[in-house]
Amino acid sequence: MKTEAISASEMKAIDKNAVYFGMSPLQLMENAGACVSDVIFNYLNPGGRSQILKTADSANDWVIFFAGLGNNGGDTFVAARHLSGQDIRSMIILLGEKAHIKTEESQKNYALLEHDKNVSLFEIRSESELENFFLENEKIIGSDSCGNSRIVLVDGIFGTGFLGPAKGLEKKAIDLIHSQKKNKNVFVLSVDIPSGLEPEPKIKSARHSRSKDSIVVADATVTFHQMKTFLQAKDAAVYTGKIFVKPIGIPFAADVCFGPGNLENLYVRDKKSHKGDSGKVLIIGGGPYTGAPALAGMAALKAGADIVTVAVPKPAFEAVAAFSPNLIVKKLSADILCDADLPVLSVLIAAHDAVVIGPGLGADPKTISTVSKIIPLCKKVIADADALQPEIFEIIQKLKLQTKLPKNKDPAKEESEESKPEKTRTEKAGMEKTEIILTPHRGEFLRILKYLKFPKAEKFEESDLEELVLDVCRRLDVTLLLKGPTDLISDGKRIRRNLTGNPAMSVGGTGDVLSGIAGGLFTKNSAFESAGCAAFVCGCAGDQAFLKAGNSLLATDVILEIPDVFIQASGSDFQQKKNESGKNKRTSKQNTDSSKQNTDSDSKDGTENEISEESEMDEDRQEKLMEIMKRIKPKSQKSKIPPKHPNPEKNLFMK
Ligand SMILES: NC(=O)C1=CN([C@@H]2O[C@H](COP(=O)(O)OP(=O)(O)OC[C@H]3O[C@@H](n4cnc5c(N)ncnc54)[C@H](OP(=O)(O)O)[C@@H]3O)[C@@H](O)[C@H]2O)[C@@H](O)CC1
Ligand SMILES: [K+]
């Protein structure tokens, strides 16, 4: 079981990724509901299954589920069915009409209870109906009149879909749960989260303030998969009671790979946003090549950036300008990028949110020297392709050593006013540190290892790769997207994989598309999320393009598919693409023979990766997963403190 806590939106992403990797929402709900029923069962039978004692009092035990119309309520329907199978009777107080249950899974699970002799169903439509219901059933629910029999009140009113404040019927239900707390026989169990507690309050106002009145105060909360940060918050303990974290069978890949769920947590355009508010990207590239910066620019636009400026040396200007009227193209002073361009570029950098530097730039020493002066000027920068050189790693390492200074001045303004590019942003008072993403393929990654003098730089085992990636990120203080059949994404603290993409993407230009998408996302999102989501989107777009174009896939085909990936990922039924026909196969021979177009040589697999066998996409993905599973070492159990009681639930329930 994972010990670290995650946020509600991270959990939502994992849930969605689980569905993407093939698990149905119904299965997830089944597992969640079964966990709830287990906790209730253990409370009612502290001796365990072998010692179920049916006494006169226990015959009067009741489990009363308060169920909302969302999936939190759905979990309670499953729990009631599982308890019924163990002869534990319950009542479901549905807060609304069954016709208004929001999701298909909840509806199905509700319908399964309709002929269950151990479950009584009540549809409550209004506050007064709820009040009357309590009065009519006072013998069961209310007061201490029930001797030693126990009552479990299960709060399935709101889960992670709650947006405060609670009002109306739901608020009334929370009030009634409060009123029963004084009864010593009553045990309140919250499902996933005490209802009324907002997992991620968006606005801090009195409306959202935590008041005991509008939040269930539970004796225990059973939450799923992993501990949640909001349940651990200082002021949350009073509501949660004891927290049980229960696994619900989330598939391994959903946890360790990027998927459509991660896209849900990206920046969303504000309804009132103006031109430029949703991101401005500057691409600095081209010279020897013309296609690469144009592809990166178009991909950045398709990833959602409002404005993309492509700054190119003279020879590339005409071609890039003719590529698309959607790009703003700035002609630089010479045939290659050089120091003479620094004043102009520093102004452009200040006017954009993120910079992508490298695509098609060439590796002339003068160019690389200029790149090393550009990087410190950027707030956010992605160094790709030709920009991945030892001189650049050196400047990145120097940046790491600079002290992080307070963010009390506008770096963009200051830079443009002074136009002194040789002075780094961080050297000036009040400036933020440069955030950097590197996007190497295997060959470029080896270059980084050699620069950092890793003992294993020449030859390393595949099983060491993830540790090496983490280590490089820490030593350079960067986020790394290592491209390969399985992409690895790390910021030095965490590492995740991306399984999308296919061997046909070894065609020239796909790396530029990837860095462009990452640039578009980076304008408004964190480096880690931008790099990982870019890898996922680019690979999916490539997979879709592959189904249409097969081995004739081009980088421009991938760009065309980007919008569809975002649209599909926002739906609830996006699943891994399967190569159903199996006819679109590509061999390494075809890959290496493919013409490189008019772009740089960046590719999905990198120069040192060879694909030796014919491959089919979904089989390929299964293999990738198997590899990852082998590489992830189980955490050492030694440091774990043994639990005080072998059965913590039993410990809690013994009053
Ligand atoms: N995702 C998964 O795969 C899994 C999820 N699982 C379970 O699902 C839970 C999340 O389910 P969920 O997303 O349906 O949200 P949940 O909290 O039940 O419903 C919210 C409902 O309340 C409503 N509503 C909101 N605010 C309101 C207000 N102030 N006052 C009044 N109404 C308000 C809102 O209505 P709407 O605004 O949409 O009209 C919506 O109908 C999660 O916590 C876990 O228990 C498990 O099964 C495992 C797998
Ligand atoms: K709840």
Side-chain angles (χ1 to χ4, degrees):
M1 177 87 55
K2 290 193 171 190
T3 47
E4 67 270 33
I6 54 172
S7 68
S9 45
E10 282 172 304
M11 185 62 224
K12 276 190 180 168
I14 293 170
D15 280 336
K16 187 156 183 173
N17 290 349
V19 175
Y20 170 75
F21 284 108
M23 200 157 177
S24 74
L26 201 59
Q27 280 176 297
L28 288 170
M29 187 175 279
E30 186 68 24
N31 295 347
C35 290
V36 175
S37 84
D38 270 356
V39 174
I40 297 168
F41 183 91
N42 290 341
Y43 169 69
L44 294 176
N45 301 285
R49 279 185 170 70
S50 56
Q51 297 176 41
I52 299 174
L53 295 174
K54 288 277 174 205
T55 61
D57 283 335
S58 72
N60 290 324
D61 287 346
W62 270 102
V63 181
I64 300 166
F65 292 100
F66 288 84
L69 298 170
N71 282 337
N72 199 244
D75 295 344
T76 69
F77 309 151
V78 175
R81 173 160 46 81
H82 282 251
L83 290 174
S84 168
Q86 298 170 93
D87 270 337
I88 296 175
R89 57 196 180 142
S90 62
M91 44 169 98
I92 301 263
I93 301 175
L94 181 66
L95 303 173
E97 292 174 43
K98 70 172 178 183
H100 296 154
I101 293 176
K102 306 260 172 165
T103 68
E104 207 185 313
E105 300 80 49
S106 279
Q107 284 164 7
K108 279 187 180 162
N109 280 310
Y110 189 82
L112 287 172
L113 297 175
E114 282 181 336
H115 305 289
D116 194 319
K117 72 172 171 50
N118 285 327
V119 187
S120 315
L121 301 174
F122 302 94
E123 292 174 54
I124 303 289
R125 291 166 189 79
S126 66
E127 291 165 67
S128 54
E129 227 181 288
L130 184 60
E131 209 155 341
N132 289 338
F133 177 86
F134 255 69
L135 289 174
E136 281 164 22
N137 291 281
E138 202 166 7
K139 267 200 178 146
I140 298 173
I141 309 170
S143 76
D144 288 314
S145 60
C146 40
N148 284 327
S149 60
R150 290 148 307 171
I151 294 171
V152 184
L153 293 185
V154 185
D155 150 34
I157 304 168
F158 295 126
T160 49
F162 172 71
L163 278 176
K167 31 185 203 296
L169 182 54
E170 289 83 1
K171 168 76 170 71
K172 184 80 193 169
I174 292 171
D175 290 345
L176 286 170
I177 293 174
H178 281 160
S179 68
Q180 298 307 312
K181 280 283 286 185
K182 59 183 184 297
N183 181 346
K184 68 176 170 41
N185 294 337
V186 166
F187 181 79
V188 178
L189 177 68
S190 279
V191 177
D192 206 17
I193 166 173
S195 293
L197 189 68
E198 227 177 335
E200 279 172 351
K202 300 260 179 317
I203 315 155
K204 286 212 161 114
S205 69
R207 196 166 73 87
H208 291 262
S209 66
R210 286 174 172 176
S211 115
K212 264 198 176 192
D213 283 354
S214 50
I215 302 173
V216 167
V217 179
D219 293 299
T221 298
V222 52
T223 194
F224 309 120
H225 183 60
Q226 221 170 318
M227 176 54 89
K228 313 290 160 23
T229 41
F230 60 88
L231 294 178
Q232 280 188 324
K234 218 171 39 197
D235 53 349
V238 62
Y239 307 112
T240 61
K242 166 100 183 173
I243 301 171
F244 299 114
V245 182
K246 293 285 180 181
I248 55 167
I250 295 284
F252 175 77
D255 235 355
V256 302
C257 298
F258 275 92
N262 301 93
L263 303 192
E264 302 247 307
N265 294 334
L266 294 175
Y267 163 85
V268 179
R269 274 167 194 264
D270 192 280
K271 278 186 193 139
K272 293 179 198 146
S273 59
H274 298 287
K275 197 187 340 179
D277 288 354
S278 296
K280 289 181 260 181
V281 182
L282 173 66
I283 313 277
I284 304 174
Y289 300 96
T290 56
L295 290 169
M298 286 309 292
L301 282 171
K302 293 278 186 185
D306 270 359
I307 292 188
V308 175
T309 306
V310 189
V312 290
K314 266 203 262 176
F317 177 75
E318 300 291 342
V320 177
F323 193 81
S324 168
N326 299 297
L327 298 170
I328 300 166
V329 189
K330 174 80 191 164
K331 194 193 313 190
L332 298 177
S333 66
D335 285 354
I336 56 167
L337 178 73
C338 60
D339 281 1
D341 297 319
L342 284 171
V344 166
L345 284 174
S346 68
V347 175
L348 279 177
I349 289 165
H352 290 76
D353 303 305
V355 176
V356 178
I357 191 161
L361 208 52
D364 188 286
K366 277 192 203 148
T367 296
I368 299 307
S369 161
T370 308
V371 173
S372 69
K373 290 170 190 149
I374 288 173
I375 286 185
L377 304 177
C378 305
K379 298 181 278 279
K380 291 180 165 193
V381 62
I382 299 177
D384 183 36
D386 293 325
L388 295 167
Q389 306 292 344
E391 295 89 324
I392 309 302
F393 308 146
E394 192 182 337
I395 195 77
I396 289 173
Q397 221 173 9
K398 277 191 190 151
L399 282 176
K400 184 197 167 192
L401 300 174
Q402 288 175 358
T403 342
K404 205 164 185 174
L405 295 158
K407 310 173 181 178
N408 55 359
K409 286 189 185 172
D410 177 0
K413 212 170 170 189
E414 205 165 289
E415 198 58 61
S416 59
E417 278 165 10
E418 295 183 18
S419 278
K420 284 181 185 165
E422 66 281 3
K423 201 170 184 182
T424 68
R425 291 178 342 98
T426 41
E427 278 164 349
K428 298 179 177 188
M431 302 219 172
E432 292 172 69
K433 231 172 83 185
T434 302
E435 278 186 82
I436 302 169
I437 299 176
L438 304 181
T439 54
H441 57 52
R442 186 65 83 92
E444 290 155 349
F445 183 64
L446 287 178
R447 237 184 258 159
I448 304 178
L449 293 183
K450 278 179 200 157
Y451 167 77
L452 289 172
K453 299 195 172 57
F454 270 81
K456 289 180 178 173
E458 295 298 335
K459 195 168 167 28
F460 57 83
E461 300 289 324
E462 280 308 297
S463 55
D464 294 331
L465 191 59
E466 291 182 7
E467 264 316 307
L468 285 173
V469 166
L470 277 160
D471 218 358
V472 164
C473 292
R474 285 180 206 127
R475 285 171 67 171
L476 292 179
D477 195 13
V478 294
T479 293
L480 203 105
L481 193 181
L482 174 59
K483 297 179 282 193
T486 296
D487 303 310
L488 293 179
I489 301 98
S490 175
D491 58 2
K493 296 182 215 79
R494 50 210 158 147
I495 188 156
R496 283 227 199 111
R497 298 95 190 145
N498 171 54
L499 304 181
T500 61
N502 60 83
M505 293 178 76
S506 62
V507 68
T510 54
D512 308 314
V513 174
L514 175 60
S515 60
I517 300 172
L521 299 180
F522 200 19
T523 56
K524 293 285 159 192
N525 301 288
S526 76
F528 184 69
E529 291 297 329
S530 304
C533 291
F536 176 76
V537 169
C538 188
C540 282
D543 288 347
Q544 287 194 186
F546 180 71
L547 292 175
K548 295 176 187 166
N551 295 343
S552 311
L553 177 147
L554 300 177
T556 42
D557 299 330
V558 178
I559 293 176
L560 290 177
E561 298 295 336
I562 295 170
D564 196 43
V565 173
F566 279 109
I567 291 166
Q568 280 195 62
S570 64
S572 57
D573 53 355
F574 189 38
Q575 298 243 339
Q576 282 187 93
K577 277 269 170 305
K578 301 261 188 263
N579 182 9
E580 277 147 14
S581 68
K583 64 180 182 236
N584 292 324
K585 294 180 176 179
R586 186 182 179 95
T587 63
S588 61
K589 178 88 177 65
Q590 282 168 302
N591 288 339
T592 36
D593 287 351
S594 63
S595 76
K596 287 291 173 201
Q597 313 277 320
N598 189 19
T599 68
D600 72 355
S601 59
D602 209 350
S603 69
K604 171 80 184 163
D605 301 285
T607 47
E608 271 124 80
N609 282 318
E610 295 255 316
I611 297 130
S612 55
E613 304 270 62
E614 283 197 340
S615 55
E616 196 173 328
M617 275 193 285
D618 44 344
E619 276 174 20
D620 217 41
R621 217 149 287 168
Q622 288 304 326
E623 271 173 38
K624 287 179 191 176
L625 258 179
M626 296 298 286
E627 266 309 304
I628 294 171
M629 287 171 81
K630 272 189 246 154
R631 264 184 259 140
I632 292 185
K633 297 169 198 146
K635 279 189 184 153
S636 160
Q637 300 293 315
K638 277 184 195 160
S639 60
K640 277 194 180 163
I641 303 160
K644 278 194 180 139
H645 193 287
N647 179 355
E649 281 159 37
K650 198 169 152 189
N651 203 18
L652 171 81
F653 297 146
M654 283 176 166
K655 285 195 173 178

